[in-house]
Amino acid sequence: MQIQDLPYPDPGVPDARSGPRFLWWLFRNQLGGQLKALAWGLVHFVSVASLPFCVGLAIQAVVDRSGSRLAIAGGLLALACAGNALGDTFLHRAAITNWIGAAARVQQLLARKAALLGSALTRRVAAGEVVAVSTGDVEKIGWFVEAVSRFTAALVTIVLVCIGLVIYQPALGVIVAVGLPVLAVAVLPLLPRATRRADFQREKAGRATELASDTVAGLRVLRGIGGEELFLDRYRSASQEVRHAAVRSARMWSLIAAIQVLLPGLLLIAVVWYGVHLAREGRIAVGELVTAYSSIMLLTYPLRHFEEIAMAYSFSRPSARRAARVLSLERAVDDRGTDGSRAADLPSGDLYDPATGLLAPAGRFTAVVCGDPDAAGRLAERLGGHPSEAGTSVRLGGVPLDELPLDTARTAVLVQDKDPVLLSGTLRELLDVPHSGAVGSAEALAAAQCADVLDALAQSSLDAADPMDALITERGRSLSGGQRQRLALARSLVTDPEVLVLDEPTSAVDSHTEARIAGGLRDLRAGRTTVVFTSSPLLLDRADRVVLVHEGEVTAVGVHRELLHKEPLYRAVVTRETDEEAERSERDARLDTDSRRTGTSRLEADSQRTGTARLERTATTRLDTDSQRTATTRLDTDSQRTATTRLDALEEIEESA
């Protein structure tokens, strides 16, 4: 495999049971490249190690005044130099190829895993960890995989040199053969401590990076509340911790490097001292002493690869462990385990979730109200075929999504989560997504009410004559939250899927714009199945069907105005009432009902009392009238009788007179 052949047609199925197993799997999958690097490494290191023998032969030939042997030594020296140059060049090519190949394989595996899990990936693993694995960890893993072949070549070379010295000059060769293994393992006791310090440094660096990312992402809000200095102080403190950890780690690695220099120097002094003693006694020739001395000098070069492989493994082991943890995640599928077994025919029809009872009729605008935002996000993932947990599959037109090939299921159902990501590039590139061709970019932008976004992009990119060519910064940080939401909505509308699932698509938009988006979304998606998770009355009022989901089950179905009056729970979620406010509303309603009933009873009682009083008053009046009439009659009769008596008496008096 050459670099120009990347990416791999199939990166393979990794052994993600542990970090070391994953590293070993990578090594086995690059066995051809590793053997090529090993071969060129042997050519390079053996050529370097043979230089002292050639020099020793040449010096001895000069001492013996032998021209033929000097010519042979010169030829061997030229051959060794040519082998050194050739081996070094192709070793570097093979090593870089192995490094890039391993890194590319890991990145392909991570990309495939991210595509397989979808939005469920960030619910199971932090997004920052995925980014760290796909960037810095990938390089460390590639470094170790390519360093293995060079280390093996260096190890074989050292063994060959020791054997050659023992054969060429046993007195000095034995000292070198005993001393070199001691040099190789001398730093092993320091490696665990160096590894722990390196891990601690990476942990602190990751924390500082996460803090810096959060600060940059929330800089607009921080400026609004005056919290920049607070977060900057936190980052300064975190960066100082990283610096201290890096210094402690560097001290340990510098100690290891110093030992790697000191011990070969001591061995060289011992060999030279003993060799001079042997030369003075005449037991060895001058050329043999020079050969032994030069061999030890040049062996410090392959010995450095022992330090490098130790560093590479200590740095790559936690990186491989993190990569294995991400790659070991599996997609939650139907309990029957029939993932992707059905033919790749695009289904259509009603969208139904057996777990909750949620039904989204085909071609209708369905709004889903859920009091728990996390539960709403999980349900949206289920509807798109990305469940976080295994269970009964969602059905589209009666076909379980788990039985469809993954690309077919995602073509049929598109899910836009509540925090969509805008990729850097031009607006034209952002909207250049797989689509049916039925919805154009202009229509989608108009439906998503992106006119002010186009103006903002045009002003920020003065060199772009067309707003579609305006640049969008990383994750759209130069735009407001509402503008990012509307661009993401326009991107989803352009795709024009059979079923579109939107999770809180207007949570960062003002009410006037939200009302226009609701109308544009309904008009543009006419005849298509649209499911919107929202608690906005403006969107709910536009929906053909509103479903209330509570505690994982559908509890009410209807239209917005009907549910608002009939369902207290729905009203509490939509109007954002607290529990106390909801209880107070119910209490007030009960009191109103009781007061009405009490008022009616009181009115009836008052009316009865009033009627009785009126009857009594009427009766009294009538009695008084009758009494008055009787009294008057009696008075009139008595008066008449008295007057008659008085007249009779006067008449009698007159007659008597």
Side-chain angles (χ1 to χ4, degrees):
M1 174 64 69
Q2 300 297 321
I3 295 178
Q4 60 265 24
D5 298 328
L6 296 175
Y8 293 98
D10 181 12
V13 180
D15 186 353
R17 290 177 290 178
S18 65
R21 288 179 181 272
F22 180 61
L23 291 174
W24 173 243
W25 178 84
L26 284 175
F27 179 82
R28 287 190 292 107
N29 277 268
Q30 289 187 320
L31 190 58
Q34 296 291 340
L35 292 176
K36 185 184 297 185
L38 176 61
W40 287 116
L42 287 174
V43 171
H44 170 59
F45 288 121
V46 170
S47 298
V48 171
S50 64
L51 291 175
F53 291 95
C54 298
V55 172
L57 288 176
I59 293 176
Q60 191 63 41
V62 171
V63 172
D64 297 339
R65 298 180 181 272
S66 174
S68 60
R69 283 190 295 165
L70 182 61
I72 294 174
L76 292 176
L77 188 62
L79 184 62
C81 290
N84 180 21
L86 189 66
D88 190 19
T89 301
F90 285 94
L91 171 62
H92 182 72
R93 287 174 57 90
I96 294 300
T97 301
N98 290 335
W99 189 340
I100 295 178
R105 189 183 296 273
V106 177
Q107 286 181 329
Q108 281 188 248
L109 291 171
L110 291 171
R112 186 175 67 181
K113 183 61 66 174
L116 178 67
L117 297 178
S119 57
L121 175 61
T122 53
R123 291 186 177 273
R124 302 168 68 177
V125 180
E129 182 173 354
V130 178
V131 173
V133 171
S134 60
T135 53
D137 288 340
V138 164
E139 294 183 2
K140 296 180 179 66
I141 292 171
W143 177 27
F144 174 75
V145 172
E146 90 51 42
V148 170
S149 56
R150 290 190 290 112
F151 166 73
T152 305
L155 178 62
V156 172
T157 301
I158 291 175
V159 173
L160 292 177
V161 169
C162 291
I163 295 174
L165 282 176
V166 170
I167 296 174
Y168 181 71
Q169 179 46 251
L172 295 178
V174 172
I175 297 177
V176 175
V178 173
L180 284 178
V182 175
L183 297 182
V185 301
V187 296
L188 290 181
L190 299 177
L191 289 180
R193 182 176 298 180
T195 302
R196 288 194 298 269
R197 292 191 178 185
D199 292 343
F200 184 73
Q201 176 194 349
R202 283 191 294 271
E203 180 183 350
K204 291 296 182 181
R207 172 58 183 160
T209 303
E210 181 181 354
L211 186 60
S213 178
D214 291 342
T215 303
V216 173
L219 190 59
R220 189 189 301 268
V221 178
L222 291 176
R223 286 176 177 172
I225 62 176
E228 308 102 305
E229 291 299 326
L230 175 62
F231 273 78
L232 287 176
D233 289 340
R234 291 181 180 177
Y235 179 73
R236 291 191 189 99
S237 176
S239 63
Q240 289 300 314
E241 292 179 0
V242 175
R243 185 179 67 85
H244 291 309
V247 170
R248 294 182 70 249
S249 178
R251 285 174 180 170
M252 184 56 63
W253 288 112
S254 63
L255 176 60
I256 293 176
I259 292 175
Q260 290 288 322
V261 175
L262 176 63
L263 294 183
L266 295 177
L267 178 62
L268 181 62
I269 293 173
V271 170
V272 170
W273 179 83
Y274 185 62
V276 170
H277 176 70
L278 294 177
R280 290 177 61 183
E281 293 180 353
R283 297 171 59 183
I284 63 172
V286 176
E288 294 175 342
L289 177 60
V290 172
T291 299
Y293 169 78
S294 302
S295 298
I296 298 174
M297 282 291 295
L298 292 178
L299 281 179
T300 57
Y301 171 59
L303 276 175
R304 293 176 186 173
H305 290 77
F306 285 78
E307 177 190 354
E308 182 188 8
I309 197 66
M311 292 181 64
Y313 181 72
S314 65
F315 279 93
S316 65
R317 184 174 53 84
S319 298
R321 184 173 62 248
R322 285 192 292 266
R325 182 166 61 249
V326 175
L327 295 175
S328 63
L329 299 176
E330 295 294 338
R331 180 170 175 251
V333 297
D334 192 348
D335 294 334
R336 295 171 295 176
T338 55
D339 183 28
S341 61
R342 189 181 288 267
D345 296 329
L346 195 65
S348 61
D350 297 342
L351 185 68
Y352 176 66
D353 179 22
T356 59
L358 174 62
L359 174 66
R364 305 288 295 278
F365 184 1
T366 303
V368 181
V369 177
C370 188
D372 184 1
D374 292 335
R378 291 192 295 270
L379 181 54
E381 291 174 357
R382 281 183 53 80
L383 294 181
H386 321 300
S388 301
E389 300 176 354
T392 307
S393 174
V394 172
R395 300 176 180 272
L396 178 60
V399 178
L401 292 181
D402 283 349
E403 297 184 6
L404 293 172
L406 193 59
D407 55 348
T408 303
R410 291 181 176 175
T411 302
V413 183
L414 174 65
V415 179
Q416 176 183 307
D417 60 16
K418 64 183 65 177
D419 188 21
V421 176
L422 300 183
L423 303 178
S424 59
T426 64
L427 180 58
R428 193 184 308 277
E429 293 171 345
L430 177 70
L431 300 179
D432 185 15
V433 293
H435 57 280
S436 64
V439 179
S441 300
E443 298 174 90
L445 291 170
Q449 301 298 312
C450 293
D452 64 320
V453 184
L454 296 178
D455 295 338
L457 289 175
Q459 292 176 4
S460 62
S461 301
L462 299 178
D463 56 341
D466 188 351
M468 295 295 292
D469 296 326
L471 290 175
I472 300 175
T473 56
E474 180 187 3
R475 299 178 66 89
R477 297 191 190 280
S478 61
L479 302 174
S480 66
Q483 290 173 332
R484 290 196 297 269
Q485 269 193 341
R486 283 177 280 166
L487 284 180
L489 177 59
R491 180 178 58 187
S492 299
L493 293 175
V494 166
T495 59
D496 190 37
E498 182 69 23
V499 179
L500 177 60
V501 180
L502 304 172
D503 187 6
E504 295 289 352
T506 58
S507 59
V509 178
D510 62 87
S511 58
H512 298 288
T513 306
E514 188 177 26
R516 294 193 295 269
I517 290 175
L521 179 62
R522 180 182 175 87
D523 295 339
L524 192 64
R525 292 288 299 173
R528 292 286 201 179
T529 307
T530 307
V531 181
V532 180
F533 287 82
T534 183
S535 59
S536 169
L538 297 172
L539 285 172
L540 294 171
D541 197 38
R542 289 279 188 169
D544 300 321
R545 175 186 174 92
V546 179
V547 180
L548 175 63
V549 178
H550 180 62
E551 294 183 354
E553 294 182 357
V554 173
T555 58
V557 179
V559 295
H560 170 60
R561 298 178 185 272
E562 176 186 350
L563 294 176
L564 196 62
H565 290 88
K566 291 185 178 181
E567 292 292 334
L569 181 59
Y570 178 83
R571 182 171 60 251
V573 175
V574 173
T575 60
R576 294 174 175 81
E577 290 182 343
T578 62
D579 295 338
E580 295 179 357
E581 291 174 345
E583 293 177 0
R584 191 181 303 115
S585 299
E586 294 181 3
R587 193 184 310 115
D588 292 341
R590 291 175 183 175
L591 289 175
D592 290 341
T593 304
D594 295 340
S595 62
R596 289 175 183 174
R597 293 176 181 174
T598 304
T600 303
S601 302
R602 289 179 178 176
L603 287 173
E604 292 177 353
D606 291 342
S607 62
Q608 291 177 356
R609 292 173 183 173
T610 303
T612 304
R614 287 179 178 176
L615 289 174
E616 291 177 353
R617 291 174 184 173
T618 303
T620 303
T621 304
R622 289 180 178 176
L623 287 174
D624 292 342
T625 304
D626 293 340
S627 300
Q628 290 176 357
R629 290 177 180 175
T630 303
T632 304
T633 303
R634 288 179 180 176
L635 287 173
D636 292 340
T637 303
D638 292 340
S639 300
Q640 291 177 359
R641 288 177 181 175
T642 302
T644 301
T645 303
R646 288 179 177 177
L647 289 173
D648 290 341
L650 288 172
E651 289 178 357
E652 288 179 357
I653 292 170
E654 289 178 353
E655 289 178 358
S656 299

